[in-house]
Amino acid sequence: MATLKELATRDGKFCGGHRLCPGCGAGIVTRQVLAAAKDNVVVGCATGCLEVSTTIYPYTAWNTSFIHNAFENAAATTSGVEAAYRALKKRKKFGLEDSKYNFIAFGGDGGTYDIGFQSLSGAMERGHRMLYVCYDNGAYMNTGIQRSSATPLGADTTTSPAGKEIPGKVQYRKELTDIIAAHYIPYVAQASPSNWKDLTRKVEKALSIDGPSFINIISACPRGWRIPEDQGLELHRIAIDSCFWPLFEIEDGVKYTINYKPKTKRPVEDWLKPQGRFKHLFKPENRYLIAEEQKRIDERWEMLLRRAGELD
Amino acid sequence: MGNRIALTGNEAVALGMKQIAPDVVAAYPITPQTEVVQIFSQYVADGDVDTEFVTVESEHSAMSAALGASAAGARAMTATSSNGLELMFEVVNITASLRLPIVMPIVNRAITGPINIHCDHSDVMTIRDSSWILLFGENAQEAYDNLLMANRIAEHSDILLPVAVNMDGFIISHAVENIEIVEDEVVKEFVGDYYPEKYLLDAANPITMGPVDLQDYLFEHKRQQIEAIKKVSGVVRQVSQEFAELTGRHYDLFEEYRLDDAEVALIAIGSTAGTAKAAIDNLREQGIKVGLLKIRLYRPFPAKEIVEALKGVKTIGVMDRAESYSNTGGPLYADIRAAMYDVGGTAQVMNIVYGIGGRDMTVRDLENLITQLQKVTETGEIEERIIHYGVRD
Amino acid sequence: MGDSVKKPGWKDIPIGGRIEDAGNSQKYYVGGWRTRRPVWIKENCIHCLFCWVACPDAAIVVEDGKIQGFDYDHCKGCGICARECPAKSPAIQMRSENIEDQFDS
Ligand SMILES: Cc1ncc(C[n+]2csc(CCOP(=O)(O)OP(=O)(O)O)c2C)c(N)n1
Ligand code: SF4
Ligand code: SF4
Ligand code: SF4
Ligand SMILES: [Mg+2]
């Protein structure tokens, strides 16, 4: 496992001068993922904040090979790159015989949970040697904070607005990490850039595997979450301590490991309260949603513990 | 050179793909293209070709993976039909814009609404403004030959645009023909190797592809695309010339059949051109001066050359196997009418929309049509300029 | 900020929107976005690099495992580094970019 000093020597594949908002989690996630990646990297990226803010022609923040195709096909596109690598290596073209390349696809929650879901599922099932990273900020931020299937219950977004009749998003978020694990691929994990050690270890592990891997990473959006610019990482810690965003990994579809257990689980209110998108939930008539979310989180945490063999 | 074997259009195309042996093929089955995918899979399974075959979960992913492979530096192909093309439509456009020379056989079939598996050109016509180069063949031999020439055109350094090789669903794809096959080694030499200038798997020279391209640069990139489009017909002719030297089979932007002294001309795309030739031969015997212009390169449209070839023709019947739902007839008709405007001639141009959803177009039908066009030539009277031929009232 | 040079025509740029100068966003300055600037207090720094790993803008300069200071051309002043700094006496302080405010403090 790399120390920060080592990681710092590998830095530089993702540069400053991009146009992500100040304090954007996507920038932190991307930097940590790429710093953990040794060897050559080809990045595929879905349309979304990360892509549109980092490749505004004629500038690019990517100091490594990069391709954006469209919103829903980062996985398929990257699988094509990986297939090309296998083909060209086999045919001894471009001197690739002795080369080492990593293939990393990035997508937001919209480009991953929703519109890119099929493309991702297909690429994982086919077994391409690639790491797919979802930076999950819980909404379509690039187009102005619309709800996605990753948006948490009750969140106020521009297409699940908190109104007089409807108190924000009425559905639970879907647990994509579990769904990808159900592909029985070698490695699936959930991570957070507030825990860089855990995150970079997971990336290193994923890239060491001769097959597909998926890491779902929570990623603060100060604008969409309605939090101050410097609060993102702190909120990630609360997300982990409240078990809203557990850190765990799943090998070969079945072997669950919990990577972090809070000493005392924080109440979900601690996670909701600092964020403007949940403000309305604290009105008396909406508080039942907080209770529902707490129940859901508790059930899920128990399920994870059980699967990891930490509960009988 | 080569040898003759009996093959269906699909078999011929699959064989051509094996001979070209692209680095990557990503494709998804759909009637009537399915056999291409199946036969190619068998080649891979038997070790007859060492292409990486990506068994994608959809056509959207087929084109996306082909795009990724091509961007990475590989020669990439896919193949589809009808709804498959519609599903990949978004990426079809991106492929051309990123200037990736992917080659794709399209087995033409009606697009769904309601579902129909038979031939018309409603699928390919939806990508006619995508800056893909669109080649058509009259039979399996031409589909095969076009395929062998496609990479050379697409990958030419002046072009760098994708090419679709079209053949009519079932009529060509499933009919057995005696086809002259080019030997493997000859194909290999003719098609050559693909060495892109810039590609993703060149870690020493990293590039960014598909960036955000705003008001200040997108137009310049589109202008570059137009420059390539201007050069396509020259490259198509050059590659076809080389192919002719190799095989003795001559191709141009279009084929003129008994057009020299013709007063009536049909313009057709695909297998109907073959049927039309039979009808023309019959009517020529009766003294009717009729000829055919068969489109091979449909996009970019060789307007100037077509107009030149039609000089002296009095009545032109443009055969469209697709509607454009614009009250201006089929797409080919609109192209021909626009092209004729520049020469200001006196020829009557009529449109025959036919064969929708696989509706038959027989030699008898075409004789009938030609007779009607001949009448227009004699009387100068036109009842309806746009005819939907063969539809029941 | 941004580019003031005359933009090239279509004959002078790579086709397909390709960018061949990898990482050239560094030539684009976003420092003007800042309302606050992080100031490094060298003597308090324990070179843990927590700030470096948390910066979204790759704006903290590290050499041989040691912090060298901030890249103000690319720092957007989010303040995450200051919050992450674990040093007993904070080694990063956020100060207003507003000149008058600086005189006040
Ligand atoms: C096919 C298609 N549909 C819609 C869009 C518009 N669009 C672009 S980005 C985006 C949302 C991205 O959300 P997400 O993936 O969560 O990334 P984020 O912006 O939050 O980082 C949408 C809806 C598009 N580009 N393409
Ligand atoms: S809107 Fe949110 S996700 Fe998008 S760049 Fe800004 S902070 Fe990042
Ligand atoms: S203020 Fe923000 S952008 Fe500037 S160095 Fe600190 S973390 Fe980076
Ligand atoms: S976080 Fe603080 S102590 Fe650690 S390296 Fe940065 S400035 Fe120094
Ligand atoms: Mg999002």
Side-chain angles (χ1 to χ4, degrees):
Chain A
M1 206 173 70
T3 63
L4 278 182
K5 280 193 174 58
E6 279 170 60
L7 292 175
T9 62
R10 294 188 215 152
D11 197 24
K13 291 193 184 79
F14 184 71
C15 302
H18 60 67
R19 268 53 92 74
L20 291 161
C21 300
C24 175
I28 313 176
V29 167
T30 306
R31 281 195 60 230
Q32 292 189 4
V33 169
L34 287 186
K38 283 176 271 188
D39 309 318
N40 302 311
V41 177
V42 182
V43 168
C45 192
T47 316
C49 274
L50 178 62
E51 185 271 328
V52 306
S53 307
T54 57
T55 65
I56 302 181
Y57 194 92
Y59 297 104
T60 178
W62 302 86
N63 190 17
T64 191
S65 302
F66 173 95
I67 182 162
H68 161 253
N69 183 346
F71 184 20
E72 65 290 74
N73 58 4
T77 306
T78 309
S79 77
V81 175
E82 190 267 347
Y85 179 66
R86 269 184 285 133
L88 297 170
K89 198 169 183 166
K90 184 167 65 188
R91 292 180 169 184
K92 302 189 171 34
K93 265 187 96 173
F94 303 134
L96 289 170
E97 299 92 286
D98 305 312
S99 67
K100 272 190 166 173
Y101 275 82
N102 292 312
F103 304 97
I104 306 180
F106 287 93
D109 48 294
T112 307
Y113 286 65
D114 289 352
I115 199 166
F117 183 54
Q118 170 181 325
S119 169
L120 171 63
S121 176
M124 295 290 111
E125 184 271 337
R126 289 194 299 276
H128 296 275
R129 184 172 65 80
M130 62 184 268
L131 164 61
Y132 190 103
V133 172
C134 174
Y135 66 98
D136 180 353
N137 53 28
Y140 305 162
M141 298 308 179
N142 180 50
T143 38
I145 322 169
Q146 294 84 28
R147 60 92 83 189
S148 76
S149 60
T151 302
L153 179 74
D156 177 24
T157 75
T158 55
T159 51
S160 65
K164 291 195 191 90
E165 294 290 331
I166 305 172
K169 193 187 175 201
V170 294
Q171 299 87 0
Y172 291 118
R173 41 171 275 115
K174 87 180 176 203
E175 297 297 349
L176 184 65
T177 312
D178 297 5
I179 298 171
I180 301 303
H183 289 67
Y184 281 64
I185 58 171
Y187 190 67
V188 170
Q190 224 168 254
S192 161
S194 59
N195 297 37
W196 63 266
K197 211 177 273 181
D198 179 71
L199 188 154
T200 54
R201 178 188 66 79
K202 285 172 175 168
V203 173
E204 284 184 338
K205 179 155 185 183
L207 294 179
S208 74
I209 288 164
D210 187 17
S213 51
F214 173 83
I215 307 183
N216 203 357
I217 306 181
I218 190 171
S219 178
C221 166
R223 202 167 69 106
W225 293 10
R226 283 181 266 152
I227 56 169
E229 287 165 3
D230 61 352
Q231 295 285 310
L233 287 186
E234 192 48 40
L235 259 168
H236 289 172
R237 290 193 186 96
I238 301 174
I240 295 164
D241 280 333
S242 64
C243 296
F244 169 81
W245 193 264
L247 303 182
F248 63 102
E249 56 198 337
I250 310 162
E251 287 161 274
D252 303 315
V254 288
K255 189 170 170 275
Y256 278 67
T257 309
I258 309 278
N259 306 114
Y260 174 84
K261 268 191 288 182
K263 283 189 192 76
T264 42
K265 197 149 133 242
R266 291 176 72 163
V268 70
E269 271 103 329
D270 289 4
W271 155 248
L272 302 173
K273 193 92 194 195
Q275 304 185 53
R277 60 177 171 157
F278 298 120
K279 192 164 158 234
H280 58 286
L281 297 184
F282 291 86
K283 287 185 190 160
E285 65 271 28
N286 294 333
R287 276 193 161 269
Y288 73 98
L289 280 169
I290 299 178
E292 270 183 29
E293 178 71 348
Q294 184 66 64
K295 186 161 166 277
R296 162 89 168 205
I297 286 172
D298 292 345
E299 282 167 3
R300 178 164 167 72
W301 179 239
E302 211 185 289
M303 183 274 287
L304 286 173
L305 288 172
R306 186 165 294 125
R307 286 189 185 172
E310 307 217 11
L311 271 187
D312 305 314
Chain B
M1 172 170 294
N3 57 324
R4 287 179 85 80
I5 44 174
L7 292 177
T8 65
N10 277 343
E11 288 165 352
V13 161
L15 175 66
M17 285 170 68
K18 183 187 84 167
Q19 292 182 308
I20 294 165
D23 300 306
V24 175
V25 169
Y28 192 81
I30 177 168
T31 307
Q33 159 268 33
T34 305
E35 283 172 332
V36 174
V37 179
Q38 289 176 344
I39 297 166
F40 198 80
S41 300
Q42 194 65 51
Y43 287 143
V44 174
D46 292 340
D48 290 337
V49 67
D50 67 345
T51 297
E52 284 295 330
F53 184 53
V54 186
T55 49
V56 282
E57 83 301 331
S58 72
E59 289 88 352
H60 196 284
S61 288
M63 188 53 84
S64 301
L67 185 149
S70 180
R75 180 177 273 154
M77 281 194 191
T78 181
T80 194
S81 283
S82 179
N83 291 39
L85 184 66
E86 302 314 293
L87 185 58
M88 61 168 69
F89 181 73
E90 179 193 34
V91 197
V92 164
N93 287 278
I94 298 170
T95 302
S97 300
L98 295 191
R99 308 296 298 276
L100 296 170
I102 291 169
V103 169
M104 164 168 68
I106 305 177
V107 186
N108 302 121
R109 159 185 159 181
I111 51 176
T112 292
I115 194 164
N116 175 303
I117 56 167
H118 294 285
C119 176
D120 68 32
H121 295 155
S122 55
D123 54 5
V124 59
M125 287 303 164
T126 61
I127 64 162
R128 68 184 191 270
D129 295 339
S130 67
S131 110
W132 272 64
I133 296 164
L134 304 181
L135 296 174
F136 284 84
E138 174 188 327
N139 49 39
Q141 181 74 61
E142 295 189 5
Y144 171 76
D145 289 350
N146 281 341
L147 183 68
L148 298 190
M149 285 180 259
N151 286 285
R152 290 286 305 280
I153 298 163
E155 294 161 10
H156 191 285
S157 59
D158 285 346
I159 308 299
L160 293 170
L161 286 170
V163 174
V165 175
N166 291 273
M167 69 171 158
D168 285 351
F170 291 107
I171 304 165
I172 302 177
S173 66
H174 285 62
V176 179
E177 259 178 59
N178 274 321
I179 293 173
E180 188 124 356
I181 297 302
V182 184
E183 283 151 9
D184 291 357
E185 282 311 306
V186 180
V187 171
K188 215 171 158 194
E189 183 146 343
F190 177 75
V191 177
D193 234 336
Y194 173 51
Y195 286 100
E197 196 199 343
K198 301 277 172 183
Y199 52 98
L200 295 172
L201 290 171
D202 182 6
N205 301 290
I207 51 170
T208 285
M209 295 181 83
V212 177
D213 203 9
L214 299 174
Q215 302 94 318
D216 51 352
Y217 282 100
L218 182 70
F219 208 172
E220 278 67 32
H221 292 125
K222 293 293 147 188
R223 178 64 186 81
Q224 296 172 330
Q225 218 167 316
I226 291 157
E227 194 62 15
I229 285 289
K230 283 184 186 177
K231 294 180 177 157
V232 171
S233 45
V235 171
V236 168
R237 279 186 155 148
Q238 179 206 317
V239 173
S240 304
Q241 178 63 37
E242 278 184 50
F243 188 78
E245 282 159 21
L246 207 66
T247 62
R249 292 195 289 280
H250 293 268
Y251 292 96
D252 203 335
L253 309 179
F254 46 84
E255 180 190 332
E256 297 172 45
Y257 185 76
R258 307 189 81 165
L259 205 54
D260 271 352
D261 62 339
E263 292 183 348
V264 172
L266 291 177
I267 306 181
I269 299 178
S271 61
T272 303
T275 326
K277 285 175 184 171
I280 287 166
D281 289 347
N282 292 345
L283 292 183
R284 278 270 177 184
E285 274 172 28
Q286 296 172 28
I288 296 181
K289 289 182 170 174
V290 57
L292 168 77
L293 190 150
K294 180 184 89 189
I295 305 277
R296 176 178 178 232
L297 176 67
Y298 177 60
R299 279 292 182 273
F301 194 62
K304 240 180 48 210
E305 294 86 347
I306 288 175
V307 167
E308 185 62 34
L310 291 171
K311 244 184 200 158
V313 173
K314 296 198 172 106
T315 307
I316 300 165
V318 182
M319 311 274 300
D320 264 301
R321 201 159 193 159
E323 246 295 356
S324 71
Y325 305 102
S326 59
N327 286 331
T328 58
L332 180 60
Y333 180 60
D335 292 323
I336 297 287
R337 297 269 292 187
M340 298 299 279
Y341 184 82
D342 284 339
V343 290
T346 53
Q348 294 286 4
V349 188
M350 298 180 55
N351 190 200
I352 303 103
V353 178
Y354 74 101
I356 302 298
R359 179 69 46 93
D360 251 0
M361 194 68 177
T362 62
V363 177
R364 178 66 62 82
D365 289 324
L366 281 148
E367 287 173 1
N368 223 331
L369 253 171
I370 295 166
T371 314
Q372 283 182 42
L373 295 174
Q374 174 64 14
K375 224 168 263 160
V376 171
T377 313
E378 285 159 13
T379 63
E381 279 166 33
I382 292 179
E383 267 177 53
E384 266 183 301
R385 218 171 254 287
I386 300 168
I387 306 164
H388 292 93
Y389 188 90
V391 70
R392 291 181 301 278
D393 279 335
Chain C
M1 201 221 269
D3 42 358
S4 55
V5 284
K6 191 175 175 292
K7 293 186 174 72
W10 64 268
K11 291 176 186 156
D12 302 321
I13 50 177
I15 58 166
R18 226 157 50 200
I19 303 173
E20 297 177 357
D21 189 5
N24 66 352
S25 64
Q26 282 170 293
K27 295 178 195 161
Y28 190 89
Y29 303 141
V30 289
W33 294 20
R34 268 195 315 274
T35 56
R36 299 180 306 157
R37 74 162 50 204
V39 175
W40 184 42
I41 302 155
K42 195 176 173 181
E43 51 279 16
N44 293 348
C45 180
I46 55 171
H47 297 284
C48 64
L49 307 193
F50 286 4
C51 54
W52 168 84
V53 79
C55 173
D57 289 275
I60 296 169
V61 185
V62 175
E63 259 168 45
D64 297 330
K66 294 241 153 75
I67 300 289
Q68 306 296 312
F70 296 98
D71 165 4
Y72 289 114
D73 290 342
H74 300 115
C75 163
K76 293 177 188 144
C78 67
I80 288 179
C81 53
R83 287 193 65 96
E84 293 299 304
C85 180
K88 273 208 191 80
S89 313
I92 300 175
Q93 223 178 53
M94 297 304 290
R95 294 201 194 140
S96 174
E97 282 284 352
N98 190 321
I99 305 269
E100 287 146 51
D101 293 355
Q102 284 180 18
F103 280 119
D104 283 351
S105 58

